[in-house]
C-alpha cells in the first residue's frame, strides 16, 4: 500500500497549493478539506492506514463509543492516532435529545484535553431521535447549539439540507454548517443537491457536506459547487479497499476545490465550435 501511496505522490501537489488556501474553522487553519470518521472500519489497522493515506487534518470520534471502549478495556483507535498531527472533532452521535448532546459535548471537550488539545472546543453536534433514517432533530439541534455556543464551544451542527435552518444556526454563531447529502451510511449520494446549492450560496461560514457521500465523484461535485469540505466515513470504511478509497477521496476533493476556484464555463443550449471560421481555407 505504501508503494501505491508513493505512486500518487508523483502527482505534484504544488500546483494545488499554489492556487488553493487552507480550510479555516473558528479561526483555526487546516491543510486538508477531507474529514474522516472513525466508525465501521473492518479493523483498527484498516482505520489507521486509511486515515494516514487520506492526509486528513480532522478526525471525528463518537464520544459515547470511545467512552464505552475505555470502560470495556478494548483496543481503542483514539489511542493509536497521532494527535499532534490530527485535530479531534468529538461528535455527539447516539444522542436523542438536546440535553444528552450537551452532556456528551462536555465529555468530548475533556477527551480533547486529555489528548493534549487544550484549546480544542470543537464539537460536531448531532441530535438524532429517528432510529430508522437517522434524520437530525432541527429543534433539538438549535436548542443545543445555542447553549453550547454560550459555553464557548465551536459548534459544527449536523442538519438536514434545510436552507432556513442553516441560516438560523449561522446567525446563532455556529462555526460551520454540516448538511447531509443523503441519510447517514446510505450511500445514496447527492439526493439533496438543489438545497445544498442554496445553503452554500447563502452561507457566510464554511459548509461541510456530511453523510451519504458514496463515491469520489460525489465529493468532487459538492466541492465544485463551493462546499468548503466533505466529511466521509462509510464510503471509505466499508469500501473493498478502505486505503485506496481514502486516497481517491483525497484527490477528488482537491480536484473539486481547484475546479471551483478555476470558475467553470457557463452551460449553453447550443454547440459552440472550439475554433472559429477565421483563417479557414
Amino acid at each position: 500500500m505504501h508503494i501505491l501511496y508513493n505512486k500518487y505522490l508523483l502527482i505534484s501537489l504544488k500546483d494545488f497549493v499554489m492556487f488553493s488556501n487552507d480550510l479555516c474553522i473558528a479561526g483555526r487553519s487546516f491543510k486538508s478539506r477531507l474529514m474522516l470518521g472513525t466508525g465501521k472500519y473492518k479493523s483498527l489497522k484498516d482505520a489507521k492506514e486509511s486515515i494516514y493515506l487520506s492526509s486528513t487534518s480532522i478526525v471525528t470520534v463518537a464520544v459515547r463509543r470511545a467512552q464505552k471502549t475505555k470502560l470495556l478495556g478494548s483496543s481503542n483507535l483514539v489511542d493509536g492516532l497521532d494527535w499532534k498531527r490530527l485535530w479531534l472533532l468529538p461528535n455527539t452521535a447516539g444522542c436523542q435529545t438536546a440535553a444528552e448532546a450537551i452532556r456528551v459535548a462536555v465529555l468530548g471537550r475533556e477527551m480533547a484535553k486529555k489528548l493534549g488539545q487544550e484549546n480544542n472546543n470543537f464539537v460536531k453536534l448531532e441530535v438524532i431521535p429517528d432510529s430508522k433514517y437517522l434524520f437530525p432533530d432541527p429543534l433539538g439541534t438549535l436548542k443545543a447549539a445555542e447553549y453550547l455556543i454560550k459555553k464557548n464551544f465551536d459548534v459544527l451542527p449536523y442538519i438536514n439540507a434545510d436552507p432556513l435552518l442553516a441560516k438560523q444556526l449561522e446567525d446563532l454563531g455556529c462555526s460551520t454548517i454540516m448538511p447531509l447529502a443523503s441519510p447517514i451510511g446510505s450511500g445514496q449520494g447527492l439526493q439533496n443537491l438543489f438545497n445544498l446549492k442554496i445553503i452554500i450560496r447563502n452561507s457566510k461560514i464554511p459548509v461541510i457536506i456530511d453523510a451519504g457521500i458514496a463515491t469520489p465523484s460525489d465529493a468532487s461535485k459538492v466541492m465544485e459547487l463551493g462546499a468548503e469540505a466533505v466529511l466521509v466515513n462509510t464510503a471509505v470504511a466499508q469500501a473493498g479497499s478502505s486505503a485506496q478509497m481514502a486516497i481517491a477521496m483525497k484527490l477528488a476533493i482537491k480536484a473539486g476545490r481547484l475546479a471551483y476556484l478555476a470558475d467553470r464555463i457557463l452551460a449553453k443550449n447550443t454547440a459552440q465550435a472550439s475554433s472559429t471560421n477565421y483563417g479557414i481555407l
Side-chain angles (χ1 to χ4, degrees):
M1 185 50 61
H2 292 299
I3 293 173
L4 176 64
Y5 181 54
N6 289 335
K7 185 175 86 170
Y8 276 108
L9 278 181
L10 294 175
I11 300 172
S12 175
L13 298 183
K14 289 182 180 178
D15 294 335
F16 175 75
V17 173
M18 186 185 302
F19 294 106
S20 186
N21 53 2
D22 292 348
L23 169 65
C24 186
I25 301 173
R28 186 173 291 272
S29 294
F30 302 96
K31 294 295 182 185
S32 175
R33 292 176 182 272
L34 170 62
M35 301 180 182
L36 275 190
T38 52
K40 300 184 180 179
Y41 285 92
K42 295 179 273 296
S43 68
L44 284 174
K45 178 178 178 293
D46 237 20
K48 290 174 69 174
E49 187 171 40
S50 300
I51 289 167
Y52 170 70
L53 292 175
S54 74
S55 300
T56 185
S57 301
I58 300 175
V59 172
T60 184
V61 173
V63 176
R64 281 189 156 180
R65 187 184 301 119
Q67 293 290 323
K68 183 179 179 181
T69 303
K70 286 279 190 185
L71 290 172
L72 294 175
S74 308
S75 297
N76 192 340
L77 176 62
V78 173
D79 294 332
L81 296 177
D82 180 2
W83 295 109
K84 292 180 180 177
R85 185 178 70 84
L86 297 169
W87 187 251
L88 175 67
L89 175 57
N91 72 60
T92 63
C95 295
Q96 298 186 350
T97 66
E100 281 184 295
I102 290 166
R103 286 197 297 272
V104 171
V106 173
L107 290 174
R109 184 151 65 180
E110 291 304 311
M111 180 192 298
K113 288 180 180 179
K114 288 179 181 178
L115 293 174
Q117 298 181 5
E118 293 290 335
N119 298 319
N120 188 343
N121 295 307
F122 280 34
V123 61
K124 183 190 174 201
L125 177 60
E126 300 183 23
V127 182
I128 304 177
D130 167 27
S131 61
K132 184 174 182 179
Y133 297 106
L134 300 179
F135 286 128
D137 172 14
L139 296 180
T141 302
L142 274 170
K143 183 178 178 181
E146 184 174 21
Y147 179 89
L148 290 170
I149 289 166
K150 290 177 181 176
K151 296 297 181 180
N152 297 318
F153 279 88
D154 299 314
V155 179
L156 291 71
Y158 169 66
I159 63 169
N160 288 302
D162 181 342
L164 293 179
L165 176 61
K167 184 51 68 176
Q168 288 172 322
L169 287 164
E170 179 180 326
D171 292 343
L172 271 181
C174 287
S175 298
T176 73
I177 299 297
M178 302 184 74
L180 56 83
S182 55
I184 294 173
S186 68
Q188 289 289 325
L190 310 179
Q191 297 298 318
N192 298 307
L193 197 53
F194 183 75
N195 281 22
L196 292 178
K197 288 179 182 179
I198 296 172
I199 292 171
I200 292 168
R201 189 183 307 126
N202 290 346
S203 182
K204 294 182 176 63
I205 57 176
V207 176
I208 301 167
I209 307 304
D210 179 16
I213 294 289
T215 63
S217 59
D218 290 336
S220 184
K221 178 65 176 177
V222 293
M223 293 302 293
E224 288 176 21
L225 295 175
E228 292 282 347
V230 172
L231 194 155
V232 181
N233 189 177
T234 307
V236 171
Q238 295 289 291
S241 169
S242 296
Q244 289 188 46
M245 187 59 78
I247 296 170
M249 287 289 182
K250 170 176 67 174
L251 296 176
I253 287 169
K254 288 180 181 296
R257 177 64 178 175
L258 196 54
Y260 168 72
L261 295 174
D263 195 8
R264 61 154 288 164
I265 62 170
L266 294 175
K268 303 176 181 68
N269 292 324
T270 58
Q272 184 174 333
S274 298
S275 55
T276 65
N277 291 328
Y278 178 77
I280 294 179
L281 295 176

